[in-house]
Amino acid sequence: MSTQNTRKAITLSTLKRIREKGERFACLTAYDACFAGLLDDAGVEVILVGDSLGMVLQGHDNTLPVTMDDMVYHVECVKRGNRTAFLMADMPFMSYSSEKETLENAAALMRAGAEMVKLEGGAWLASSTRLLAERGIPVCVHMGLTPQSINRIGGYLVQGRDDRQAKNMLDEARLLQEAGANILLLECVPADLGRRITEALEIPVIGIGAGPDTTGQVLVLHDLLGISPISPKFVKNFLAETGSIPEAIRAYVDAVRTGQFPAPEHCFN
Ligand code: KIV
């Protein structure tokens, strides 16, 4: 059934309620109006205009070349196609390295139509998170594998596997919640750590390769459709078993809501 015209706008309160009820929500990336409309119709609760666009749209090897102008352009496109999903946008590499840049660039994304900005990092983001939260800008902090730090990390590697790293991540997640983060996004961590962080926080946690127990799940749209050059372990090609793009997106939403995705083969130990 199409949710077009019938669903009320998804807000942070909706996502909080889903978390409180122990239910799950689906997040997917989109970069243009047409796909944003399809995601919205399929019932996706959160659309992420991710800087993954640098890889899947622009053909770069990583997300570092993506600029604020790129992000603003794609947020505007997605905004036009979306009706009810909650719209989150990535702050690209080095766009939040000073207070002034953080405020100006977050404001530009919000003016373009974003309802939340996402920043990658850990404890060092506490002051930026507080700065934005105090000015009414909802913040998602992306932890675990943070692609903008790929050169420092040394590859797309699972994070938080040893006890010390896992404890640090848990402590940093608590600190960021305290600083005012409204959502935490966890990428490529062991499923057990994904569960522990989700249980420890009051805010919703969205996972990608973080196991089945986070409140939300996210995938890059092109990965879900099986058209990305690489397919990490945490990805499932939903188009292969459905045969149409709208059906693939609906199948993903259903699988997330019913807890069938991610399955054990998509998770890290
Ligand atoms: O840029 C992006 O699409 C992301 C997801 C991988 C979570 O940050």
Side-chain angles (χ1 to χ4, degrees), residues 29 31 48 50-52 90 118 142 185 187 208 218 220:
T29 65
Y31 316 101
L48 167 64
D51 60 359
S52 51
D90 262 332
K118 175 161 83 62
H142 182 153
L185 189 147
E187 178 164 354
I208 174 164
V218 60
V220 169

Side-chain angles (χ1 to χ4, degrees), residues 10 79 82 85-89 109-110 113-117 137-138:
I10 304 290
K79 166 76 180 162
N82 178 42
F86 188 67
L87 190 48
M88 168 154 76
L109 292 174
M110 299 298 281
E115 292 165 300
M116 164 175 265
V117 295
I137 299 185

Side-chain angles (χ1 to χ4, degrees), residues 204-220:
V205 175
I206 301 178
I208 174 164
D213 298 312
T214 57
T215 301
Q217 296 288 335
V218 60
L219 282 180
V220 169

